[in-house]
Amino acid sequence: MKLYSLQTGNLKLDGGTMFGVIPKVMWSKVYPADENNLCNFAMRCLLVDTGERKILIENGIGNKQSEKFFSNFHLNGMEPIETSLAGIGLSSDDITDVLLTHLHFDHCGGSIVYNTDRTRLVPAFKNAVYRIGERQWNWAINPNNREKGSYLKENFLPVKASRQLEFITKEGFLLPGIDVRILNGHTEGQVIPYIHYNGKTVVFVSDLLPCTAYIPLPWVMAYDIMPLLSVQEKEAFLKEALENEYILFFYHDIYHECCNLKMTDKGIREKETFSINEV
């Protein structure tokens, strides 16, 4: 098995929304904002190459939305997922599995593209099975008013139409070398992949822990639908991760790709930060 970090670019989001009840005087010390109170966040995907399978976890914001839509997020450093794949000698057609932790637009927008003559939307990975949590799918199809703007149905409905969709219905084994857990604090049915690699466990923490800055328990996004549950899920996960020496792989942290953990007098914190190719 080999793991590859794939960049798809960055987006800017309001720091107050991203850090919730944490005062700016605190969060800005570890995750700086610009003059408009916007923080720059990565959209970093993970490619798991087992030899027989090429498993892509997340695929970024994509490029099919309108210029007006994208202007809200001040995209920068953008690189299509196809370009990142080409950098490791692969194409979209080589992907056998697309694993989406949840269906917010910044995680799954690259799933769907226009066909050649731009007359319809089709899966970007024509040979892949798209694996999505069933509870998350149902949640996204009938979104609540708070999250409605984060679920763009053009990002996922074409997968069902193409018959490439497979639901994740339970925790545990999913694919060779990959187990999953299902969490509900950030959004209903978020799937968290655990990858067993080189004798270690690498966890793609998605929006359970967007960045290292969120490791302290009270640091929770205002986007989370159930923030108290997020704190509970995070506390249980961090304890497990510390005890088992997990490596955390971050989707949104523009400064740090991975970290491990240590116990301090303030609780569990990051120990070292590093890239996935150092694991």
Side-chain angles (χ1 to χ4, degrees), residues 37-236:
N37 207 49
L38 298 174
C39 298
N40 210 16
F41 292 93
M43 293 178 284
R44 181 186 297 111
C45 310
L46 185 65
L47 191 283
V48 182
D49 185 347
T50 70
E52 293 184 358
R53 291 180 180 270
K54 307 291 188 291
I55 305 162
L56 178 62
I57 304 177
E58 315 290 59
N59 49 54
I61 201 169
N63 58 13
K64 65 185 176 299
Q65 259 61 54
S66 68
E67 184 177 341
K68 180 179 179 181
F69 174 84
F70 286 133
S71 69
N72 294 324
F73 303 102
H74 307 274
L75 303 183
N76 58 98
M78 297 304 291
E79 185 168 292
I81 188 67
E82 295 83 3
T83 302
S84 294
L85 287 169
I88 57 172
L90 298 175
S91 74
S92 298
D93 293 351
D94 294 315
I95 302 302
T96 61
D97 303 84
V98 174
L99 174 53
L100 298 172
T101 66
H102 60 298
L103 295 172
H104 288 168
F105 64 81
D106 55 319
H107 289 252
C108 72
S111 297
I112 305 298
V113 295
Y114 278 104
N115 63 356
T116 303
D117 59 7
R118 294 184 68 83
T119 57
R120 63 190 179 95
L121 293 168
V122 297
F125 308 96
K126 65 181 183 181
N127 298 318
V129 175
Y130 284 69
R131 302 178 186 276
I132 301 165
E134 185 174 28
R135 283 157 60 185
Q136 171 63 189
W137 177 272
N138 292 334
W139 191 259
I141 292 297
N142 299 289
N144 60 79
N145 288 331
R146 185 176 183 187
E147 282 186 284
K148 190 173 183 179
S150 294
Y151 290 122
L152 309 180
K153 293 184 179 180
E154 60 268 32
N155 282 339
F156 48 89
L157 284 184
V159 175
K160 186 175 184 181
S162 70
R163 299 184 180 181
Q164 291 174 248
L165 174 64
E166 186 168 308
F167 286 135
I168 300 167
T169 60
K170 61 182 180 179
E171 297 186 325
F173 175 84
L174 179 67
L175 291 164
I178 300 179
D179 299 327
V180 295
R181 305 281 180 86
I182 300 173
L183 302 177
N184 303 296
H186 175 61
T187 186
E188 184 77 10
Q190 179 180 206
V191 172
I192 302 296
Y194 288 55
I195 302 113
H196 306 293
Y197 175 66
N198 284 351
K200 301 180 182 298
T201 298
V202 177
V203 184
F204 189 100
V205 288
S206 191
D207 281 352
L208 170 65
L209 287 165
C211 309
T212 56
Y214 291 85
I215 292 175
L217 292 180
W219 293 53
V220 172
M221 292 185 288
Y223 290 112
D224 288 11
I225 59 166
M226 290 184 280
L228 292 179
L229 180 57
S230 290
V231 173
Q232 293 172 11
E233 290 175 340
K234 186 163 66 170
E235 183 175 23

Side-chain angles (χ1 to χ4, degrees), residues 247-267:
I247 293 167
L248 280 53
F249 183 95
F250 297 99
Y251 183 70
H252 280 308
D253 196 324
I254 200 168
Y255 304 109
H256 308 297
E257 190 168 289
C258 300
C259 85
N260 52 16
L261 300 170
K262 65 181 179 181
M263 179 60 76
T264 74
D265 57 358
K266 293 183 178 180

